[in-house]
Amino acid sequence: MSLFIENFSTITYLLAAALFILALKWLSNPATARRGNLAGEIGMLAAIVGTLIGHHVIRYEWILVGLVLGSLIGAPMAIWMPMTAVPQRTALSHACGALAAALVGTAHYYLFFKPIPHPPTTVTMIFLCLEILLGSLTFTGSLMAFGKLQDLLPTRPMVYRGQNILNFAILTLAVLCAAAVVIQPAWTWLFPLILLLAATFGVLLILPIGGADMPTVIALLNSYAGLSASMMGFVLDNRLLIIAGALDGASGLILSIVMCKAMNRSFTNVLFGAFGQVRASAGAAEKKNVRSGSPEEAAQIMEAAQSVIVIPGYGMAVAQAQHKVRELYDQLSKRGVDVKFAIHPVAGRMPGHMNVLLAEAEIPYDRLIEMDEINGDFPQCDVALVVGANDVVNPAARHDQSSPIFGMPILDADKARTVMAIKRTMNPGFAGIENELYFAENCMMLFGDAKAVIASVARELTESN
Ligand code: NAP
């Protein structure tokens, strides 16, 4: 019987590890993303079943309570939270994972002394301390990120003199206390202090970061939560936890690096740059003209076009305009217009944001073209239709060295024959700066909510059919 149990857990763990790796591979492409999700889910189920059956669990009732409680919180979050709230939902999930790691580490530590004392090895203590340090700071940091994204906390960066020095001092103190406990594991009185210091550091780390930078920070916190789980794997001698945590840690880190690169920002700038502070607009004093058009005008131009490139951005997500965009796509395709969608890696507020929304509206994947591939098409394109995108089409990124987005790769919408930009006002986007595209001679503004404007254009096209 015990041989069966041992082999059962090894086999399920192997299966789960393979499925986690496949899930990550499949999730990187919209065409296989659903399969990736399913593989991850089955992998997790295999891991749970393998752990519950393959290990000598003495009492199941608390595990059951945990499963029911977790499902009661998780299911409504998955069902009712809107797509635009996915970043804060992810932050909450990381907070829960990190809290679990910190609590397991804490329980494990105190079990070394009670009921039967059996002092831990130095290596175990190192992993345990890393686990609780990362777990506690990720827990409070993720809660802060959630608060900022959900507008429960002020979203602006909160900065004060000596902030970085204070943060560094608290982190150093936490690490020093952890080092002391590694050397003297019996100093149990020091343990709560490590938890407290790390948790405080998590709060202070997020304070100077603006709400709009939170998705990048969440990817980083994801990485910390993964590493914490991996450390827990070493402490509990559970290989699957080591593998899954390492995958999580590495993918979170890669994702945050990709996001920083696509925004042309460094990690230090995201973490300490206080990006998103209210600043005076350089062009505020200048009075410039913008040309405003109507949906009828837009429909006529698009009807006569041979090629249209749609550039979705954060505004499309806010307006939930993707289904109307699909209607417009159908109308134009019916007329033989070549319609493509230009995807900027950081359009919206989370990686893959636009892909997910367009996939939800069942726009064919082969119409979604990545930035590097589509930029060459703009000079031959009749209409670039900007749907609630702003920074990702701001030409200042190419030439204005004083611009905060200078150097960020952009979609070359301005090179199209006609540009149509849908947004509600002349307010700036995430970077807080004016967009010179809107003042260009070939640009026509379509003011209004993206869903309403696109619906009107599509209606015009239907009626003219
Ligand atoms: P953006 O620069 O934030 O601009 C979005 C625009 O949408 C705004 O100018 C806004 O103008 C408009 N808008 C909002 N609600 C609308 C509605 N209901 N209907 C029509 N328009 C609406 O967006 P983006 O061009 O997608 O650029 C994304 C930015 O986020 C980049 O700067 C990127 O670096 C940053 N970022 C992205 C990620 C990521 O992972 N994707 C992560 C962190 C940061 P009005 O208010 O005038 O309507």
Side-chain angles (χ1 to χ4, degrees):
M1 181 66 183
S2 87
L3 196 68
F4 164 76
I5 288 179
E6 245 171 58
N7 285 335
F8 183 77
S9 93
T10 311
I11 291 166
T12 46
Y13 280 9
L14 250 176
L15 178 75
L19 283 168
F20 289 155
I21 293 168
L22 284 172
L24 280 180
K25 163 137 190 53
W26 285 331
L27 277 169
S28 61
N29 187 326
T32 52
R34 276 175 214 267
R35 202 191 311 157
N37 242 341
L38 191 67
E41 283 163 9
I42 298 173
M44 190 48 87
L45 186 69
I48 293 173
V49 172
T51 305
L52 291 185
I53 295 179
H55 287 261
H56 305 278
V57 179
I58 302 161
R59 293 173 63 178
Y60 281 96
E61 56 267 37
W62 285 111
I63 292 172
L64 254 176
V65 171
L67 278 177
V68 171
L69 252 179
S71 310
L72 281 179
I73 300 170
M77 258 165 66
I79 297 168
W80 286 300
M81 275 179 107
M83 269 300 297
T84 41
V86 167
Q88 47 267 54
R89 200 184 79 195
T90 314
L92 263 190
S93 308
H94 293 162
C96 293
L99 177 67
L103 288 179
V104 170
T106 305
H108 208 81
Y109 172 72
Y110 284 107
L111 282 174
F112 286 131
F113 306 98
K114 268 183 196 171
I116 308 154
H118 55 295
T121 64
T122 307
V123 176
T124 305
M125 275 312 289
I126 291 174
F127 285 126
L128 195 142
C129 283
L130 285 173
E131 174 191 342
I132 58 132
L133 276 173
L134 287 165
S136 344
L137 79 87
T138 307
F139 170 59
T140 50
S142 301
L143 282 185
M144 289 290 292
F146 169 78
K148 285 205 173 202
L149 285 167
Q150 194 62 34
D151 278 333
L152 299 174
L153 294 171
T155 52
R156 63 173 199 286
M158 289 186 236
V159 282
Y160 51 86
R161 200 194 275 263
Q163 189 168 37
N164 289 340
I165 296 172
L166 177 72
N167 291 2
F168 185 70
I170 290 178
L171 180 65
T172 311
L173 200 58
V175 173
L176 286 177
C177 290
V181 171
V182 168
I183 297 164
Q184 283 295 345
W187 286 359
T188 47
W189 54 272
L190 211 51
F191 203 80
L193 190 63
I194 306 172
L195 290 171
L196 187 73
L197 285 168
T200 312
F201 177 72
V203 172
L204 297 179
L205 178 75
I206 304 302
L207 275 185
I209 305 175
D213 258 350
M214 280 307 134
T216 320
V217 174
I218 287 172
L220 200 61
L221 290 172
N222 175 13
S223 167
Y224 293 168
L227 287 177
S228 175
S230 204
M231 299 300 137
M232 179 159 71
F234 282 107
V235 175
L236 300 178
D237 195 17
N238 183 314
R239 270 162 230 165
L240 184 61
L241 258 179
I242 299 173
I243 297 172
L247 287 174
D248 198 10
S251 56
L253 188 66
I254 292 170
L255 185 58
S256 38
I257 292 172
V258 168
M259 286 162 86
C260 282
K261 262 198 178 159
M263 294 190 288
N264 194 35
R265 314 251 313 275
S266 63
F267 260 142
T268 13
N269 184 272
V270 169
L271 291 177
F272 310 111
F275 198 79
Q277 269 178 312
V278 182
R279 78 182 109 222
S281 157
E286 253 179 87
K287 268 256 178 281
K288 297 184 214 160
N289 289 329
V290 291
R291 184 157 67 95
S292 160
S294 65
E296 299 83 58
E297 229 178 301
Q300 280 166 13
I301 299 174
M302 274 192 251
E303 211 174 8
Q306 282 183 343
S307 58
V308 171
I309 299 180
V310 180
I311 301 160
Y314 179 61
M316 184 183 84
V318 177
Q320 286 293 292
Q322 62 275 21
H323 296 285
K324 293 292 161 199
V325 169
R326 165 77 210 224
E327 278 178 31
L328 181 68
Y329 165 77
D330 287 341
Q331 284 296 332
L332 291 171
S333 303
K334 244 201 293 185
R335 288 169 162 76
V337 182
D338 177 36
V339 187
K340 291 183 199 150
F341 293 81
I343 307 297
H344 190 284
V346 290
R349 288 293 182 274
M350 59 182 176
H353 204 169
M354 298 301 119
N355 303 64
V356 172
L357 292 174
L358 296 174
E360 186 194 315
E362 295 188 348
I363 287 169
Y365 300 133
D366 61 353
R367 297 278 97 192
L368 275 51
I369 322 278
E370 299 294 331
M371 176 174 66
D372 293 337
E373 226 178 297
I374 202 153
N375 262 345
D377 292 358
F378 280 107
Q380 299 91 45
C381 151
D382 294 316
V383 179
L385 177 66
V386 182
V387 185
N390 191 338
D391 295 343
V392 299
V393 288
N394 191 341
R398 284 200 303 255
H399 63 82
D400 181 358
Q401 295 198 10
S402 65
S403 169
I405 61 164
F406 178 68
M408 166 173 150
I410 57 155
L411 289 162
D412 295 334
D414 56 322
K415 296 189 177 160
R417 284 183 198 112
T418 305
V419 181
M420 296 180 191
I422 305 176
K423 69 199 297 290
R424 297 162 305 178
T425 61
M426 285 303 286
N427 285 347
F430 161 77
I433 48 163
E434 192 170 75
N435 190 341
E436 60 184 56
L437 175 71
Y438 305 146
F439 305 99
E441 270 179 19
N442 62 341
C443 181
M444 178 168 98
M445 299 301 293
L446 297 170
F447 286 113
D449 174 75
K451 190 174 175 179
V453 174
I454 298 273
S456 307
V457 178
R459 202 176 319 113
E460 288 294 330
L461 287 171
T462 321
E463 283 167 10
S464 74
N465 212 346

